[in-house]
């Protein structure tokens, strides 16, 4: 498919450079050199074959599909063969050969798609991927048929009028057909290599993102030694409690992750101090000088961490997202949604879907080839 896109793009580039003097560098797209563009036809067939059968991408055996192009190129560049019986019909001979070549691959492709995709029953693998391939192959095969018909009409018209063969008489139609294909690929990039390849890429991206999300509340938040204390009263307090800072951090983390302290909607610094059994000023000092997050940010992060844990624990199998918001300490769903999106970069529904997709992929619910 990449080869097809490259050849087609180059061909249209050549078409568009006649007015800027590039033709002294680039070969014209008419005559013998234009025969090489016919490689698009077998390349399209091999793309379908690889997409459906998931064979290795490069196989030396596939070079046999170039044999006709070499034959056509040879008879058009060899003067002896040009005068032989092969050209009994003159330039119309090329048109006949090209027509046979196009119809051969259209029929070959049709039989492949008909047997392996379009009319296949009893599919036992990922339906999403199967439907993706089915819809794309129908669309792209139709484009192939239209482009093939356009080339056939062009070469017959050029042969009849005595113009050098180029297949570009109706190039405007070809441009429209391929533009539709490119737009389709931009909208659904997974059709280039199938959904499994896209899933592999997305799973790497999402897994990396989720690893960062699911370690929000940990020792990385805390600053064990702070040198930014400037207030005289705070410096006095620092001297009194500096040996207890590590213990305070451990106790706060324990309240957050083990005791799920922040499920209480009214949880405050005073409540933490009372639970640990220390003055409130010690907790205020801890978050002011030894935490990368303010107390309100830490509380919000803790609640989202709690929500992620509940999602992992299948909480949503029996409960709603609104219930999840209330359970983790939020007053309503709206602040929960805002906090979740801010911290994870995912809306709650999006996060749940990503986790579900990643679990499905890691379990091995991968898409197999369409081999029978």
């Amino acid at each position: 498919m990449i080869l097809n896109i490259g050849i087609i793009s180059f061909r249209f580039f050549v078409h568009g450079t006649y007015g800027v003097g590039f033709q002294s560098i680039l070969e014209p797209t008419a005559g013998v050199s234009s025969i090489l563009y016919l490689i698009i036809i077998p390349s399209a067939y091999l793309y379908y074959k690889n997409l459906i059968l998931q064979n290795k991408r490069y196989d030396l055996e596939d070079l046999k599909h170039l044999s006709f192009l070499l034959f056509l190129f040879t008879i058009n560049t060899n003067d002896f063969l040009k005068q032989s019986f092969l050209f009994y019909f003159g330039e119309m001979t090329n048109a006949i050969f090209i027509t046979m070549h196009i119809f051969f691959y259209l029929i070959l492709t049709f039989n492949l798609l008909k047997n392996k995709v379009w009319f296949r029953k009893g599919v036992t693998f990922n339906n999403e991927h199967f439907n993706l391939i089915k819809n794309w192959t129908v669309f792209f095969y139709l484009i192939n048929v239209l482009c093939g018909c356009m080339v056939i009409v062009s070469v017959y018209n050029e042969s009849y009028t005595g113009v050098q063969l180029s297949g570009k008489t109706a190039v405007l139609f070809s441009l429209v057909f391929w533009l539709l294909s490119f737009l389709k690929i931009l909208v659904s990039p997974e059709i280039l290599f199938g959904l499994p390849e896209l899933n592999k890429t997305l799973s790497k991206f999402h897994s990396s993102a989720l690893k960062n999300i699911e370690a929000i509340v940990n020792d990385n938040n805390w600053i064990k030694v702070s040198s930014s204390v400037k207030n005289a009263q705070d410096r006095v307090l620092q001297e009194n409690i500096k040996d207890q800072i590590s213990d305070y951090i451990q106790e706060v983390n324990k309240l957050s992750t083990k005791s799920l302290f922040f499920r209480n909607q009214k949880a405050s610094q005073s409540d933490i101090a009372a639970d640990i059994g220390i003055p409130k000023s010690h907790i205020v000092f801890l978050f002011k000088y030894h935490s990368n997050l303010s107390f309100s940010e830490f509380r919000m992060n803790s609640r989202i961490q709690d929500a992620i844990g509940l999602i992992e624990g299948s909480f949503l199998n029996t409960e709603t997202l609104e219930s999840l918001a209330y359970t983790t300490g939020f007053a309503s769903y709206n602040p929960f949604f805002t906090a979740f999106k801010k911290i994870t970069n995912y809306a709650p529904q999006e996060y749940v879907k990503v986790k579900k997709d990643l679990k499905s992929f890691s379990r091995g619910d991968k898409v197999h080839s369409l081999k029978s």
Side-chain angles (χ1 to χ4, degrees):
M1 189 60 178
I2 300 299
L3 178 62
N4 278 356
I5 293 174
I7 293 172
I8 294 163
S9 299
F10 177 77
R11 183 170 173 81
F12 284 128
F13 175 72
V14 173
H15 284 186
T17 58
Y18 280 101
V20 292
F22 285 168
Q23 294 314 303
S24 60
I25 302 173
L26 301 172
E27 290 290 332
T29 56
V32 176
S33 60
S34 65
I35 292 175
L36 300 178
Y37 290 115
L38 292 176
I39 195 176
I40 292 173
I41 299 170
S43 294
Y45 167 74
L46 292 175
Y47 165 69
Y48 288 118
K49 185 178 177 182
N50 180 68
L51 180 68
I52 295 170
L53 303 180
Q54 298 289 301
N55 294 328
K56 61 182 181 180
R57 294 181 186 174
Y58 306 104
D59 190 341
L60 292 177
E61 188 178 341
D62 291 335
L63 293 177
K64 65 185 179 183
H65 294 281
L66 298 177
S67 56
F68 173 79
L69 299 181
L70 294 176
F71 164 75
L72 195 60
F73 186 82
T74 300
I75 65 174
N76 278 274
T77 54
N78 187 287
D79 292 335
F80 175 77
L81 294 176
K82 285 278 287 185
Q83 304 301 321
S84 70
F85 71 96
L86 290 173
F87 282 86
Y88 177 79
F89 298 102
E91 288 298 324
M92 192 63 72
T93 297
N94 281 321
I96 294 172
F97 279 139
I98 291 172
T99 300
M100 291 171 58
H101 182 61
I102 291 174
F103 272 106
F104 172 78
Y105 276 101
L106 286 178
I107 293 172
L108 194 64
T109 302
F110 177 82
N111 287 331
L112 174 69
L113 296 175
K114 179 189 69 174
N115 296 327
K116 299 295 185 180
V117 182
W118 294 344
F119 302 109
R120 180 163 183 172
K121 297 181 181 179
V123 177
T124 58
F125 40 84
N126 192 302
N127 284 328
E128 183 181 0
H129 178 249
F130 180 75
N131 290 330
L132 177 77
I133 290 181
K134 185 175 182 179
N135 294 335
W136 164 243
T137 53
V138 169
F139 171 83
F140 195 51
Y141 182 75
L142 179 61
I143 294 294
N144 293 161
V145 171
L146 292 173
C147 287
C149 292
M150 183 272 298
V151 172
I152 291 172
V153 171
S154 293
V155 295
Y156 270 95
N157 180 61
E158 290 161 358
S159 298
Y160 182 77
T161 57
V163 178
Q164 269 194 316
L165 294 184
S166 66
K168 64 178 184 179
T169 304
V171 69
L172 180 61
F173 294 100
S174 177
L175 176 62
V176 172
F177 297 152
W178 283 105
L179 183 60
L180 289 174
S181 297
F182 293 157
L183 289 175
K184 179 74 172 177
I185 291 171
L186 287 175
V187 173
S188 306
E190 65 272 20
I191 59 184
L192 278 175
F193 301 107
L195 195 61
E197 292 296 326
L198 183 68
N199 280 345
K200 289 178 184 178
T201 302
L202 292 181
S203 66
K204 291 178 182 178
F205 169 77
H206 287 304
S207 294
S208 176
L210 295 182
K211 284 179 182 178
N212 294 329
I213 292 169
E214 293 171 6
I216 296 170
V217 181
N218 53 42
D219 289 339
N220 292 333
N221 170 60
W222 301 104
I223 304 169
K224 297 295 178 65
V225 179
S226 176
S227 58
S228 61
V229 181
K230 296 180 180 179
N231 181 280
Q233 186 175 356
D234 287 343
R235 283 202 298 269
V236 172
L237 181 58
Q238 181 184 36
E239 287 298 318
N240 293 333
I241 67 172
K242 62 181 181 180
D243 293 333
Q244 285 79 47
I245 292 297
S246 294
D247 293 334
Y248 290 171
I249 290 173
Q250 185 176 352
E251 289 297 326
V252 172
N253 277 343
K254 183 178 178 180
L255 286 175
S256 171
T257 59
K258 302 294 183 182
S259 302
L260 302 174
F261 184 82
F262 292 107
R263 287 189 178 183
N264 176 7
Q265 292 184 13
K266 299 180 180 180
S268 65
Q269 295 183 77
S270 297
D271 296 324
I272 293 179
D275 195 280
I276 297 176
I278 59 176
K280 176 185 174 182
S281 59
H282 291 197
I283 295 298
V284 172
F285 181 90
L286 181 70
F287 279 98
K288 183 176 181 180
Y289 294 110
H290 292 276
S291 174
N292 290 315
L293 301 173
S294 67
F295 174 74
S296 60
E297 290 172 335
F298 183 87
R299 179 175 57 192
M300 179 177 64
N301 279 302
S302 297
R303 287 170 174 170
I304 297 304
Q305 182 72 28
D306 186 11
I308 290 173
L310 289 174
I311 292 173
E312 287 291 317
S314 304
F315 179 87
L316 295 177
N317 287 354
T318 56
E319 302 290 344
T320 64
L321 286 169
E322 287 77 8
S323 178
L324 179 64
Y326 290 122
T327 300
T328 52
F330 289 91
S332 65
Y333 179 73
N334 286 340
F336 168 75
F337 177 93
T338 302
F340 201 100
K341 186 70 177 289
K342 178 180 179 180
I343 293 172
T344 68
N345 292 322
Y346 293 94
Q349 298 92 330
E350 294 173 337
Y351 181 87
V352 172
K353 184 178 185 304
V354 167
K355 292 294 292 185
K356 183 178 178 181
D357 291 343
L358 289 177
K359 283 183 178 179
S360 175
F361 193 80
S362 63
R363 280 200 311 265
D365 297 346
K366 300 178 182 180
V367 181
H368 306 290
S369 72
L370 300 178
K371 293 178 180 178
S372 57

